[in-house]
Amino acid sequence: MDALSAAAVILLDYILAFTVLGVAGVFRGRLGSQGAELTAGTVLACALRYVFHVISGCTVWAGLSIPDSQALLYSLAYNATYMVPETLVTVVGAIYLSKVLDFRSESITRTAPQAKAPDLALLWSGIGKALLAAAAVFDIQHFFFLLQNPETGDFDITGITQANWGLLAAVTGAGIVLFLLCSWLASRVPADSTVSLKGLFRALPSIGVAAAAVFDVVFIVLTVREGELTSASWVQMILLTLCVLAAAAFLIFRGRAKRQAV
């Protein structure tokens, strides 16, 4: 890579791509809802960042890590593999942040406490979010393996051509539809509902960690049985195990803190 290309990468992939994040507040006070304003600003900022990464990919990186032929298509697909999930995660963070802090005044303050939603509404809402997250994880995992050379484990963007776009569209669409359906069901729960699910809510974190631990063990066993382990395989196994251990440790410490408080 020559000096001009390096300068273009710095400008497009770093300076411009991250400077546009500053436009996230452009909708402040324009939509009537702080959550909607933060969501719209987040989507706009991430979309602009995605555009600059795509421009860099189909120009500077074409012929280097991206093939010259169909460079725009490769750049669109590759940059979407991390920008789409990053946008979703950031939107979720923005929505939750809007429920905690109020940015509409000159000084940032805490939002007024909201009435606790009925347990049944919380259950439907949680199921919808879990299904949407599962669809996103499936899409990311599918692309992750395609971007690796099966023989060397090295990054290989040409693997995108082997993506099952129909399956990805079906999984993503199903996740969105089920999320919207669960959200609608949650909104239909009466505010004075007396259904109590506290026992289930207390058990869910432990069940989730146990399920993640089982998945971790199965994943490691299947990966080892496949034969030669690549560096990417080791990274996946280690990160997954660390996440499970961190979640288990969090539950243990939280349980101790609750018992001490009592």
Side-chain angles (χ1 to χ4, degrees):
M1 180 181 292
D2 56 30
L4 182 60
S5 297
V9 167
I10 294 173
L11 177 64
L12 291 169
D13 279 329
Y14 295 96
I15 297 178
L16 292 178
F18 290 96
T19 298
V20 295
L21 298 180
V23 306
V26 69
F27 295 104
R28 179 186 177 188
R30 298 175 183 271
L31 302 181
S33 167
Q34 180 176 244
E37 292 163 3
L38 286 174
T39 299
T42 297
V43 173
L44 175 62
C46 290
L48 291 175
R49 179 187 163 191
Y50 173 67
V51 168
F52 283 115
H53 287 315
V54 169
I55 294 173
S56 174
C58 66
T59 56
V60 183
W61 292 106
L64 295 176
S65 61
I66 294 180
D68 285 319
S69 60
Q70 298 181 317
L72 177 59
L73 178 61
Y74 278 110
S75 185
L76 285 168
Y78 168 68
N79 287 292
T81 61
Y82 65 89
M83 280 307 305
V84 170
E86 182 172 329
T87 301
L88 292 175
V89 171
T90 308
V91 165
V92 171
I95 292 174
Y96 277 98
L97 191 63
S98 69
K99 296 180 180 180
V100 178
L101 299 176
D102 189 347
F103 299 94
R104 289 168 291 188
S105 58
E106 291 299 325
S107 58
I108 300 175
T109 58
R110 291 185 64 87
T111 56
Q114 299 180 348
K116 184 179 180 296
D119 286 358
L120 196 56
L122 292 175
L123 178 63
W124 280 120
S125 178
I127 292 175
K129 294 171 184 177
L131 290 172
L132 186 62
V137 169
F138 176 86
D139 292 346
I140 295 169
Q141 189 77 351
H142 183 73
F143 275 115
F144 181 84
F145 284 112
L146 291 177
L147 294 175
Q148 289 181 297
N149 186 302
E151 296 180 356
T152 63
D154 295 333
F155 172 78
D156 183 4
I157 195 173
T158 59
I160 289 179
T161 57
Q162 301 174 14
N164 189 334
W165 297 105
L167 176 62
L168 288 169
V171 171
T172 304
I176 293 174
V177 169
L178 291 173
F179 169 74
L180 294 175
L181 175 61
C182 290
S183 298
W184 178 79
L185 290 172
S187 67
R188 299 290 295 177
V189 177
D192 57 352
S193 173
T194 57
V195 178
S196 178
L197 300 172
K198 293 181 179 179
L200 175 62
F201 291 157
R202 284 195 294 266
L204 279 177
S206 299
I207 295 173
V209 172
V214 171
F215 175 80
D216 184 24
V217 172
V218 172
F219 176 78
I220 292 175
V221 171
L222 292 178
T223 303
V224 172
R225 284 184 177 179
E226 287 179 358
E228 184 178 354
L229 297 177
T230 64
S231 57
S233 299
W234 279 108
V235 170
Q236 284 180 299
M237 290 189 293
I238 293 173
L239 287 178
L240 185 57
T241 302
L242 288 176
C243 288
V244 172
L245 292 175
F250 173 77
L251 285 181
I252 292 173
F253 285 117
R254 190 183 70 168
R256 289 181 177 177
K258 286 185 176 180
R259 287 194 296 269
Q260 291 175 355
V262 174

mmCIF file of all heavy atoms in Angstrom, residues 2 17 20 26 46 58 62 66 73 79-80 97 121 127 133 137 149 163 168 179 207 212 223 230:
data_model
loop_
_atom_site.group_PDB
_atom_site.id
_atom_site.type_symbol
_atom_site.label_atom_id
_atom_site.label_comp_id
_atom_site.label_asym_id
_atom_site.label_seq_id
_atom_site.Cartn_x
_atom_site.Cartn_y
_atom_site.Cartn_z
ATOM 1 N N ASP A 2 0.679 2.144 -0.985
ATOM 2 C CA ASP A 2 1.492 3.351 -1.069
ATOM 3 C C ASP A 2 0.973 4.411 -0.096
ATOM 4 O O ASP A 2 -0.044 4.237 0.579
ATOM 5 C CB ASP A 2 1.504 3.883 -2.503
ATOM 6 C CG ASP A 2 0.097 4.136 -3.045
ATOM 7 O OD1 ASP A 2 -0.795 4.462 -2.239
ATOM 8 O OD2 ASP A 2 -0.113 4.004 -4.268
ATOM 9 N N ALA A 17 -15.308 8.236 8.910
ATOM 10 C CA ALA A 17 -16.238 7.201 9.378
ATOM 11 C C ALA A 17 -16.650 7.404 10.826
ATOM 12 O O ALA A 17 -17.799 7.124 11.194
ATOM 13 C CB ALA A 17 -15.609 5.821 9.190
ATOM 14 N N VAL A 20 -18.609 11.217 11.636
ATOM 15 C CA VAL A 20 -20.047 11.327 11.370
ATOM 16 C C VAL A 20 -20.888 10.823 12.537
ATOM 17 O O VAL A 20 -22.108 11.063 12.571
ATOM 18 C CB VAL A 20 -20.436 10.548 10.093
ATOM 19 C CG1 VAL A 20 -19.798 11.173 8.871
ATOM 20 C CG2 VAL A 20 -20.069 9.078 10.205
ATOM 21 N N VAL A 26 -28.760 14.869 15.826
ATOM 22 C CA VAL A 26 -29.416 15.820 14.928
ATOM 23 C C VAL A 26 -30.939 15.825 15.096
ATOM 24 O O VAL A 26 -31.603 16.819 14.789
ATOM 25 C CB VAL A 26 -29.055 15.487 13.456
ATOM 26 C CG1 VAL A 26 -29.702 14.175 13.020
ATOM 27 C CG2 VAL A 26 -29.459 16.613 12.526
ATOM 28 N N CYS A 46 -24.755 5.468 12.030
ATOM 29 C CA CYS A 46 -24.183 4.184 11.614
ATOM 30 C C CYS A 46 -24.273 4.006 10.108
ATOM 31 O O CYS A 46 -23.371 3.419 9.486
ATOM 32 C CB CYS A 46 -24.893 3.039 12.328
ATOM 33 S SG CYS A 46 -24.546 2.931 14.096
ATOM 34 N N CYS A 58 -14.363 -0.384 -1.770
ATOM 35 C CA CYS A 58 -14.431 -0.576 -3.225
ATOM 36 C C CYS A 58 -13.456 0.289 -3.998
ATOM 37 O O CYS A 58 -13.394 0.207 -5.232
ATOM 38 C CB CYS A 58 -15.861 -0.331 -3.713
ATOM 39 S SG CYS A 58 -16.444 1.359 -3.538
ATOM 40 N N ALA A 62 -9.764 -2.352 -3.001
ATOM 41 C CA ALA A 62 -9.958 -3.170 -4.203
ATOM 42 C C ALA A 62 -8.601 -3.589 -4.763
ATOM 43 O O ALA A 62 -7.719 -2.756 -5.001
ATOM 44 C CB ALA A 62 -10.730 -2.388 -5.256
ATOM 45 N N ILE A 66 -9.844 -6.964 -1.190
ATOM 46 C CA ILE A 66 -11.104 -7.135 -1.905
ATOM 47 C C ILE A 66 -10.803 -7.296 -3.391
ATOM 48 O O ILE A 66 -10.063 -6.493 -3.960
ATOM 49 C CB ILE A 66 -12.032 -5.926 -1.672
ATOM 50 C CG1 ILE A 66 -12.464 -5.865 -0.196
ATOM 51 C CG2 ILE A 66 -13.257 -5.983 -2.567
ATOM 52 C CD1 ILE A 66 -13.383 -4.714 0.127
ATOM 53 N N LEU A 73 -19.806 -4.789 -4.664
ATOM 54 C CA LEU A 73 -20.643 -5.820 -4.046
ATOM 55 C C LEU A 73 -19.941 -6.440 -2.844
ATOM 56 O O LEU A 73 -20.549 -6.626 -1.792
ATOM 57 C CB LEU A 73 -20.974 -6.910 -5.073
ATOM 58 C CG LEU A 73 -21.814 -8.089 -4.555
ATOM 59 C CD1 LEU A 73 -23.159 -7.589 -4.060
ATOM 60 C CD2 LEU A 73 -21.996 -9.122 -5.656
ATOM 61 N N ASN A 79 -18.745 -5.094 4.763
ATOM 62 C CA ASN A 79 -18.956 -4.066 5.785
ATOM 63 C C ASN A 79 -20.300 -4.213 6.493
ATOM 64 O O ASN A 79 -20.447 -3.797 7.650
ATOM 65 C CB ASN A 79 -18.835 -2.670 5.159
ATOM 66 C CG ASN A 79 -17.399 -2.313 4.822
ATOM 67 O OD1 ASN A 79 -16.569 -2.116 5.696
ATOM 68 N ND2 ASN A 79 -17.091 -2.252 3.532
ATOM 69 N N ALA A 80 -21.263 -4.828 5.814
ATOM 70 C CA ALA A 80 -22.553 -5.073 6.455
ATOM 71 C C ALA A 80 -22.441 -6.141 7.525
ATOM 72 O O ALA A 80 -23.223 -6.138 8.490
ATOM 73 C CB ALA A 80 -23.587 -5.493 5.414
ATOM 74 N N LEU A 97 -30.768 3.664 27.209
ATOM 75 C CA LEU A 97 -30.199 4.888 27.770
ATOM 76 C C LEU A 97 -31.258 5.983 27.860
ATOM 77 O O LEU A 97 -31.274 6.769 28.817
ATOM 78 C CB LEU A 97 -29.030 5.359 26.903
ATOM 79 C CG LEU A 97 -28.149 6.474 27.481
ATOM 80 C CD1 LEU A 97 -27.466 6.001 28.762
ATOM 81 C CD2 LEU A 97 -27.098 6.892 26.453
ATOM 82 N N ALA A 121 -46.190 -8.945 30.539
ATOM 83 C CA ALA A 121 -45.693 -8.061 29.489
ATOM 84 C C ALA A 121 -44.176 -8.139 29.394
ATOM 85 O O ALA A 121 -43.602 -8.155 28.299
ATOM 86 C CB ALA A 121 -46.144 -6.625 29.756
ATOM 87 N N ILE A 127 -39.043 -12.414 25.455
ATOM 88 C CA ILE A 127 -39.021 -13.469 24.428
ATOM 89 C C ILE A 127 -38.756 -12.854 23.057
ATOM 90 O O ILE A 127 -37.962 -13.378 22.260
ATOM 91 C CB ILE A 127 -40.356 -14.243 24.434
ATOM 92 C CG1 ILE A 127 -40.485 -15.060 25.716
ATOM 93 C CG2 ILE A 127 -40.448 -15.156 23.213
ATOM 94 C CD1 ILE A 127 -41.824 -15.758 25.866
ATOM 95 N N ALA A 133 -32.364 -11.383 18.933
ATOM 96 C CA ALA A 133 -30.933 -11.559 19.172
ATOM 97 C C ALA A 133 -30.440 -12.881 18.585
ATOM 98 O O ALA A 133 -29.348 -12.955 18.020
ATOM 99 C CB ALA A 133 -30.643 -11.505 20.671
ATOM 100 N N VAL A 137 -27.450 -13.380 15.898
ATOM 101 C CA VAL A 137 -26.305 -14.246 16.173
ATOM 102 C C VAL A 137 -26.133 -15.273 15.049
ATOM 103 O O VAL A 137 -25.017 -15.556 14.613
ATOM 104 C CB VAL A 137 -26.472 -14.960 17.528
ATOM 105 C CG1 VAL A 137 -25.428 -16.056 17.700
ATOM 106 C CG2 VAL A 137 -26.371 -13.955 18.665
ATOM 107 N N ASN A 149 -10.888 -18.917 5.271
ATOM 108 C CA ASN A 149 -10.459 -19.979 4.372
ATOM 109 C C ASN A 149 -10.529 -21.301 5.126
ATOM 110 O O ASN A 149 -9.914 -21.440 6.178
ATOM 111 C CB ASN A 149 -9.024 -19.714 3.882
ATOM 112 C CG ASN A 149 -8.583 -20.700 2.833
ATOM 113 O OD1 ASN A 149 -8.563 -21.914 3.056
ATOM 114 N ND2 ASN A 149 -8.222 -20.186 1.675
ATOM 115 N N ALA A 163 -22.613 -17.472 0.481
ATOM 116 C CA ALA A 163 -23.651 -17.236 1.493
ATOM 117 C C ALA A 163 -25.016 -17.700 0.995
ATOM 118 O O ALA A 163 -25.353 -17.540 -0.186
ATOM 119 C CB ALA A 163 -23.706 -15.756 1.855
ATOM 120 N N LEU A 168 -30.580 -16.644 5.089
ATOM 121 C CA LEU A 168 -30.316 -15.471 5.928
ATOM 122 C C LEU A 168 -31.521 -14.532 5.956
ATOM 123 O O LEU A 168 -31.898 -14.014 7.013
ATOM 124 C CB LEU A 168 -29.086 -14.730 5.409
ATOM 125 C CG LEU A 168 -27.739 -15.413 5.643
ATOM 126 C CD1 LEU A 168 -26.644 -14.708 4.857
ATOM 127 C CD2 LEU A 168 -27.401 -15.423 7.119
ATOM 128 N N PHE A 179 -40.358 -10.762 16.796
ATOM 129 C CA PHE A 179 -40.111 -9.675 17.748
ATOM 130 C C PHE A 179 -41.287 -8.705 17.773
ATOM 131 O O PHE A 179 -41.763 -8.300 18.853
ATOM 132 C CB PHE A 179 -38.833 -8.930 17.370
ATOM 133 C CG PHE A 179 -38.626 -7.646 18.120
ATOM 134 C CD1 PHE A 179 -38.235 -7.663 19.451
ATOM 135 C CD2 PHE A 179 -38.839 -6.425 17.502
ATOM 136 C CE1 PHE A 179 -38.057 -6.480 20.161
ATOM 137 C CE2 PHE A 179 -38.661 -5.240 18.197
ATOM 138 C CZ PHE A 179 -38.267 -5.270 19.518
ATOM 139 N N ILE A 207 -30.815 -20.542 34.331
ATOM 140 C CA ILE A 207 -31.112 -21.426 33.197
ATOM 141 C C ILE A 207 -30.318 -21.009 31.969
ATOM 142 O O ILE A 207 -29.777 -21.844 31.235
ATOM 143 C CB ILE A 207 -32.623 -21.411 32.898
ATOM 144 C CG1 ILE A 207 -33.408 -22.012 34.064
ATOM 145 C CG2 ILE A 207 -32.925 -22.165 31.609
ATOM 146 C CD1 ILE A 207 -34.908 -21.893 33.921
ATOM 147 N N ALA A 212 -25.923 -21.966 28.206
ATOM 148 C CA ALA A 212 -24.710 -21.491 27.538
ATOM 149 C C ALA A 212 -23.529 -22.408 27.828
ATOM 150 O O ALA A 212 -22.692 -22.668 26.950
ATOM 151 C CB ALA A 212 -24.392 -20.063 27.995
ATOM 152 N N THR A 223 -15.853 -29.067 17.681
ATOM 153 C CA THR A 223 -14.720 -28.405 17.027
ATOM 154 C C THR A 223 -13.474 -29.272 17.081
ATOM 155 O O THR A 223 -12.736 -29.391 16.096
ATOM 156 C CB THR A 223 -14.442 -27.044 17.695
ATOM 157 O OG1 THR A 223 -15.620 -26.234 17.656
ATOM 158 C CG2 THR A 223 -13.315 -26.310 16.981
ATOM 159 N N THR A 230 -7.683 -24.397 14.033
ATOM 160 C CA THR A 230 -7.086 -23.165 13.534
ATOM 161 C C THR A 230 -7.050 -22.126 14.651
ATOM 162 O O THR A 230 -7.658 -22.302 15.714
ATOM 163 C CB THR A 230 -7.915 -22.616 12.356
ATOM 164 O OG1 THR A 230 -9.224 -22.269 12.830
ATOM 165 C CG2 THR A 230 -8.041 -23.665 11.255
#
